Amino acid sequence: MRAVVLTVHRLVWFFPTVLGLLVIVFAISHVIPADPVAFMAGENASREQIEALRHRLGYDRPLPVQFFSYVVGVLQGDLGTSLYTQRPIAEDLISRLPATLELTFVAVFLSALIGVPLGVVAAVYRNSLLDHLLRIFTVSGLAIAAFWLAILLQLLFAMRLGWTPLQGRVSGWGPDEVTGFFLIDALIMGDWEIFRDVVAHMTLPAITLGFPAMATIVRFTRAGVLNAINSNYVLYEQAMGFPRRVVVWKYVLRNALIGTVTQIGLIFGVLIANGVVVEAVFNWPGLGTYAVNSILQSDYNAIMGFTLTQGVIFIIVNLLVDISHGVIDPREAR
Amino acid sequence: METARYLLKKLLSDRTAALGAFLILLLILAAILAPVLATHPEDVTEFHPSERLQGPSAEHFFGTDRMGSDIYSRILYGARITIAIALIAIGVSVLIGVPIGLIAGYYRNWASEALMRVSDIFLSVPQIVLAIAIAQTLGPSLENVILALSATYWPFWARLVYAETRSALNETYVEASIALGARPWRVMMLHVLPNISSSVIVRTTIGMGGTILTAAALGFLGLGPPPPTPEWGRMIAESREFLPEAWWYATAPGLAIFLVVMGFNLLGDGLRDILDPRIRRSRDE
Amino acid sequence: MSEARRDLLLDVRGLEIGFATEAGLARVLDGVNFRIARGEIAGLVGESGCGKTTLARAILGILPMNAARIRAGEIIFDGEDLLEKDPRTLEAELRGRRVTFVPQDPFSSFNPVFTIGAQIDELMKWKSPDAEPGTGLRHYGRARRRADRARVRELLGTVQLPDIDGILRKYPHEVSGGQRQRLMIAMALLPEPQLIIADEPTTALDVTIQAQILQLLRRLATDRGVSVLFTTHDLGTAYEICDHITVMYAGQEVETAPSDEFFARPRHPYTRSLLASLPSRDRGIHGIPGQIPGLVDPPGGCRFHPRCKNATAICAETRPGISDFGTGHTARCYHPVGHDREAAR
């Protein structure tokens, strides 16, 4: 019952948080610049064009009114029009969302798949050679600039060795679009050529994106496992002769994972942050490249739309993590 | 002074932390002694198009860039930019965030609740996302990068210090001191602040690494100080079109970033092990 | 005369254990002798740091092997020296099977994210009397499962737990402290062991519950002929439940006797001081002057000598041999208290 109350509580806080985000984005776009309209009109606009734009977009109205209509617009899905593509920004973003989501999921999945067992082993064989190597790995993983890693990997594997494609998501046409996730769509189509092509293109970006994520996962899993190993219940299980592998991989891991899961929010933040530059380097057709192109084009509203979108996604992810933590940890329901 | 010497000794006995301190020392030396250590100090502002894109050699340790400038020298001068950005950004956000957190944690009224909610909203978005928006709005420059970073970092400190202040206030000896009539200012300065200072110091050190990475990313995206300023992130961005031939162009600045951030991370970890023994962390978390 | 007559289940001889610490090697157990007869409830009494927990863990074989050094001695359990056995064998055949464990803190000894029923199931899976010892147990057959479930129910009823189904479904934090310890006792009995090692099992419980748990443990153990190694720092508790009591001080065992004899005629100065320090209305409160020594560089000979009124030169040189006072009562002291005295309760 209490879990339900907590969930409702968190859901309720979702809305003010998003509203707060809207305030911040609005402040950045409308309040900070000396003349937001001149900004949006671009460098070559004339004085009259700017004034006409100002009136058309309603920037001559008082700020609170502007904010209100801004919020209303957002709620209706209107994030403005891109100067560059001339399409509604919301449309642009939605069309690019699957690419980013797919890459992010694959990166998280791979890093967890490899990272969790590594973290367990590092903790169980504490201070062994493997543990020290992993420590070096985790520390480096969090010190490497994602865009630099991306460029290095690209340089080595794509340019010099030719093992993977240089950039992009597919060569030629991708699979017929069902879900927008190419891996799934290619499987649905049953086309192995396309599937392999998609995988090849995804390899370097996923590794780059997953690298710091894996470092974090290894770190936290290791800590969680060490914590559990030193606990009284493990002592009890040992004293009662539970087989060691059962103790570690069933009982310790479950406790450690609960701690790691709460870090997914953190990891996701890292993935979003790094996603921008990683997508840029590999020309991955997702939100990140959109942001970078918009920066280059000074497509102002597009950048604000991107900021808002990424912000909301992150808030939702954290909300889900919070809720699921309340579910999987029985102590939460106290 | 006693404690400082003791801490230093303990720190140096931890090899990885010592390595971190060493790397940071290199950074500081590079920044301060750039004019002395650089082989081509004039290359920070001058161009030599005839010498462009040469590989590493005895004359140019890390080769030359697209303008023919010596990359080694530019990296040394870039150290100044890096330190400036990180130090000021963190300094400002700490100076803003810590007092806010302290006061909000002490006086638990509607104002502090509101402040914390605002902080939460800032923290609900990855730092770089907001920083991009702010930097784009203000235009690419050194000051604006610092501004964007500070504006998005202070809530972290406010939140952290708020939580730690609250838990420090729950300590019995603090309760006792308040019961004896100690004034708020005194309680905060004498009891709370020393308690949370070790946490702040540790996170500041680790935060330097993260801030440098974010600043470099902004530079990479073109939102940092414009050319010819030798900002490391921008240098990497410039190198892209000349790959794979001019491999040194991308490698050297990236390596600099890596070593510097690693230094701060290692040092921060080491500091945490020393300063926070109460928090029962496993030795290398 | 005395010791030889007891039918020994456990015979610890000359156990010497050191722990590697930053300050050097801590001599945690200094050639300890300790015996438990079959069907006997043996108390191991001493203050914190005296080594009783280390001894208990050494018997179980769960000392941290990277820090602990077993330097000498034997642990003869049912005729076999445990120190000679392969650790894997100990895990599969000894622990949780012939020797079980009741921990001090029943709350943190349960895994917090699994239900109680799930944890008991796991125990039965590996350690049920019907289970084959050894690794590689893959198939937990239905017939055996049913038999085990019945066993669990029966035993949980015996420890007087209400609403067995409800408890099995609950998580550890949803159950009271007394109930948790009853569960622990039940779990210790389920594998039908020969010896239960109970490490300060009532220390973490409310005083009102302590007596109940003690009585329960005693009754069940004696009914089933199970020996119990009962460690405690509280003599009163030992008095309640133990047949035989051994006192330890700073890694040395100093006196051992059947319970009545122990309280009637304590011989070792430390034992007497312990008994005298029990609060009593007529005598007030007495402590023992001095401090427990560090174990890295402990006092030579009898480690109690710095705090002992009767100490002489020889007490600091060599450890006293075993003096036999008859009826299973021995003490290690050069100057044991000779005459009989009414010991305080």
Side-chain angles (χ1 to χ4, degrees), chain A residues 30 47 51 62 65 105 151 168 170 176 194 202 224 234 264 290 296-297 299 308-309 318:
Chain A
H30 287 62
R47 171 72 49 85
E51 292 309 316
V65 178
F105 282 149
I151 291 177
V170 277
D176 299 334
I194 293 188
M202 200 181 275
V234 168
I264 286 197
Y290 184 73
L296 286 174
Q297 304 293 331
D299 192 344
L308 200 56
T309 308
N318 276 320

Coordinates of all heavy atoms in Angstrom, one line a residue, chain A residues 30 47 51 62 65 105 151 168 170 176 194 202 224 234 264 290 296-297 299 308-309 318:
Chain A
H30 N 14.0 33.3 -23.8 CA 13.3 34.6 -24.0 C 13.8 35.7 -23.1 O 13.7 36.9 -23.4 CB 11.8 34.4 -23.6 CG 11.0 33.7 -24.6 ND1 11.3 32.4 -24.9 CD2 10.0 34.1 -25.4 CE1 10.4 32.0 -25.9 NE2 9.6 33.0 -26.2
R47 N 16.2 45.1 -40.1 CA 15.4 45.7 -39.0 C 13.9 45.4 -39.1 O 13.3 45.0 -38.2 CB 15.8 47.2 -38.9 CG 15.0 47.9 -37.9 CD 15.3 47.6 -36.4 NE 16.7 47.6 -36.1 CZ 17.4 48.7 -35.8 NH1 16.8 49.9 -35.8 NH2 18.7 48.6 -35.5
E51 N 11.4 43.2 -36.8 CA 10.2 43.7 -36.1 C 8.9 42.9 -36.5 O 8.0 42.7 -35.7 CB 10.0 45.2 -36.4 CG 11.1 46.1 -35.8 CD 11.3 45.8 -34.3 OE1 10.3 45.7 -33.6 OE2 12.4 45.6 -33.8
P62 N 3.7 41.1 -23.1 CA 4.4 41.0 -21.8 C 4.9 39.5 -21.5 O 4.2 38.6 -22.0 CB 3.3 41.4 -20.7 CG 2.1 41.6 -21.5 CD 2.3 41.6 -22.9
V65 N 2.5 36.6 -20.3 CA 1.6 36.2 -21.4 C 2.4 35.3 -22.4 O 1.9 34.3 -22.8 CB 1.1 37.4 -22.2 CG1 0.2 37.0 -23.3 CG2 0.3 38.3 -21.2
F105 N 19.7 2.3 -25.6 CA 19.3 1.0 -25.0 C 20.4 -0.1 -25.3 O 20.8 -0.8 -24.4 CB 18.0 0.5 -25.6 CG 16.8 1.1 -25.0 CD1 15.6 1.3 -25.8 CD2 16.8 1.6 -23.7 CE1 14.5 2.0 -25.2 CE2 15.7 2.3 -23.2 CZ 14.6 2.4 -23.9
I151 N 36.3 9.5 -31.7 CA 37.2 9.8 -32.8 C 38.3 8.8 -32.9 O 38.7 8.3 -34.0 CB 37.7 11.2 -32.7 CG1 36.6 12.3 -32.9 CG2 38.9 11.5 -33.7 CD1 37.0 13.7 -32.8
G168 N 27.0 6.9 -39.7 CA 25.7 6.6 -40.1 C 25.1 5.4 -39.4 O 25.7 4.7 -38.6
V170 N 22.8 3.1 -41.3 CA 22.8 2.1 -42.3 C 23.4 2.5 -43.6 O 23.6 3.7 -43.8 CB 21.3 1.7 -42.7 CG1 20.8 0.7 -41.7 CG2 20.5 2.9 -42.9
D176 N 12.3 -1.9 -43.6 CA 11.0 -1.3 -43.6 C 10.6 -0.9 -42.2 O 10.8 -1.7 -41.3 CB 10.0 -2.3 -44.2 CG 10.3 -2.7 -45.6 OD1 11.0 -1.9 -46.3 OD2 10.0 -3.8 -46.0
I194 N 20.6 -6.8 -44.1 CA 20.3 -5.5 -43.5 C 20.6 -5.6 -42.0 O 21.2 -4.6 -41.4 CB 18.9 -5.1 -43.7 CG1 18.6 -4.8 -45.2 CG2 18.5 -3.9 -42.9 CD1 17.3 -4.2 -45.5
M202 N 26.2 0.0 -35.8 CA 26.0 0.4 -34.4 C 27.1 0.1 -33.5 O 27.2 0.6 -32.4 CB 24.7 -0.4 -34.0 CG 24.1 0.2 -32.8 SD 22.7 -0.8 -32.3 CE 21.4 -0.1 -33.3
G224 N 28.7 -2.6 -4.4 CA 27.5 -3.3 -3.8 C 27.8 -4.7 -3.4 O 27.4 -5.2 -2.4
V234 N 25.5 -12.8 4.7 CA 26.4 -13.6 4.0 C 27.2 -14.5 5.0 O 27.5 -15.7 4.8 CB 27.4 -12.8 3.1 CG1 28.5 -13.6 2.6 CG2 26.6 -12.2 2.0
I264 N 21.0 3.7 -12.4 CA 20.6 3.8 -13.8 C 20.3 5.2 -14.2 O 20.6 5.6 -15.3 CB 19.5 2.8 -14.2 CG1 20.0 1.4 -14.2 CG2 18.9 3.1 -15.5 CD1 19.1 0.4 -14.9
Y290 N 21.0 16.2 -34.3 CA 20.1 17.3 -34.6 C 20.5 18.5 -33.8 O 20.6 19.6 -34.3 CB 18.7 16.8 -34.1 CG 17.6 17.8 -34.4 CD1 17.2 18.1 -35.7 CD2 17.0 18.6 -33.4 CE1 16.2 19.0 -36.0 CE2 16.0 19.5 -33.6 CZ 15.6 19.7 -34.9 OH 14.6 20.6 -35.2
L296 N 25.2 24.5 -35.2 CA 26.0 25.1 -36.3 C 25.2 26.1 -37.1 O 25.7 27.1 -37.6 CB 26.4 23.9 -37.3 CG 27.5 23.1 -36.7 CD1 27.7 21.9 -37.7 CD2 28.8 23.9 -36.6
Q297 N 23.9 25.8 -37.2 CA 23.0 26.7 -38.0 C 22.4 27.8 -37.2 O 21.7 28.6 -37.7 CB 21.8 25.9 -38.6 CG 22.2 24.7 -39.4 CD 22.9 25.1 -40.7 OE1 22.6 26.2 -41.2 NE2 23.8 24.3 -41.2
D299 N 20.2 27.5 -35.2 CA 18.8 27.3 -35.3 C 18.2 27.3 -33.9 O 18.1 26.3 -33.2 CB 18.5 26.0 -36.0 CG 17.0 25.8 -36.4 OD1 16.2 26.6 -35.8 OD2 16.7 25.0 -37.2
L308 N 14.5 20.9 -24.2 CA 13.3 20.5 -23.5 C 13.0 19.0 -23.6 O 12.7 18.3 -22.6 CB 12.1 21.2 -24.1 CG 10.8 21.3 -23.3 CD1 11.1 22.0 -22.0 CD2 9.8 22.2 -24.1
T309 N 13.2 18.5 -24.8 CA 13.0 17.0 -25.0 C 13.9 16.2 -24.2 O 13.4 15.3 -23.5 CB 13.2 16.7 -26.5 OG1 12.4 17.6 -27.3 CG2 12.7 15.3 -26.8
N318 N 14.2 9.0 -14.7 CA 14.4 9.0 -13.2 C 13.1 8.6 -12.5 O 13.2 7.9 -11.5 CB 14.9 10.3 -12.8 CG 16.4 10.5 -13.0 OD1 17.1 9.5 -12.7 ND2 16.8 11.6 -13.4

